[in-house]
Amino acid sequence: MAKRALVLEDSRTQATIICKMFQKAGCDAVWVQDPASAHEALKAGQFDLLVLDVFIEGYNTLDHLSSFRELAGNVPIAVMTAGRIDDPESGADALNKARRGRVNFLLPKPFYFDDIKQICEDVDAYWQAHTSQAIAS
């Protein structure tokens, strides 16, 4: 069964490209455009990976990681950003904040299919290990 990723991205164009990369890597991608829709999707279904754009129209997902984690449980989180055009340091600052927030994967934009493929492989390994631990318990 294919893994499922929830992709929070406010740009339809970028979301289309990102979702196609995940699908090519063998992971079904569900796109949502805003945090409220992401919360609804997490309440309604199971996902194997949560992919968050940092800057969503006046909203910084890093400031709300705890609410995403609460809804997603032990689902790995990938954070992606290109920063903000009016603040050249915002991309690096956001990725450092995400690392300190213990997200599983950092994706500075632009990223490539090989990056997505590696994340999907790592997510597969994560869930295999997680399932093995649960069975052994």
Side-chain angles (χ1 to χ4, degrees), residues 10 48 51 100 124:
D10 57 346
D48 301 291
V51 183
R100 288 189 303 271
D124 282 340

Side-chain angles (χ1 to χ4, degrees), residues 2-133:
K3 299 285 186 239
R4 289 184 64 204
L6 180 64
V7 178
L8 172 56
E9 168 61 61
D10 57 346
S11 164
R12 179 179 301 276
T13 302
Q14 288 186 37
T16 299
I17 294 166
I18 293 163
C19 288
K20 284 182 180 181
M21 283 195 281
F22 273 103
Q23 290 165 348
K24 183 178 176 182
C27 187
D28 292 336
V30 175
W31 171 56
V32 292
Q33 195 168 5
D34 57 67
S37 297
H39 289 163
E40 289 173 22
L42 287 167
K43 289 174 186 174
Q46 292 289 104
F47 293 92
D48 301 291
L49 175 65
L50 182 55
V51 183
L52 304 174
D53 190 9
V54 172
F55 302 109
I56 305 284
E57 300 202 24
Y59 183 93
N60 185 323
T61 57
L62 297 176
D63 294 336
H64 304 277
L65 275 177
S66 61
S67 65
F68 286 105
R69 280 199 171 103
E70 184 177 318
L71 291 168
N74 56 353
V75 171
I77 297 175
V79 169
M80 57 186 175
T81 189
R84 293 191 322 234
I85 197 163
D86 62 334
D87 182 358
E89 299 297 319
S90 64
D93 290 345
L95 292 172
N96 283 325
K97 184 175 182 177
R99 181 184 45 76
R100 288 189 303 271
R102 304 275 191 237
V103 301
N104 304 85
F105 307 102
L106 303 174
L107 282 167
K109 292 179 184 176
F111 49 84
Y112 303 96
F113 172 70
D114 287 342
D115 302 314
I116 299 299
K117 183 179 173 189
Q118 182 177 8
I119 287 173
C120 289
E121 290 169 357
D122 289 349
V123 167
D124 282 340
Y126 170 85
W127 286 113
Q128 285 176 2
H130 188 75
T131 302
S132 297
Q133 289 174 355

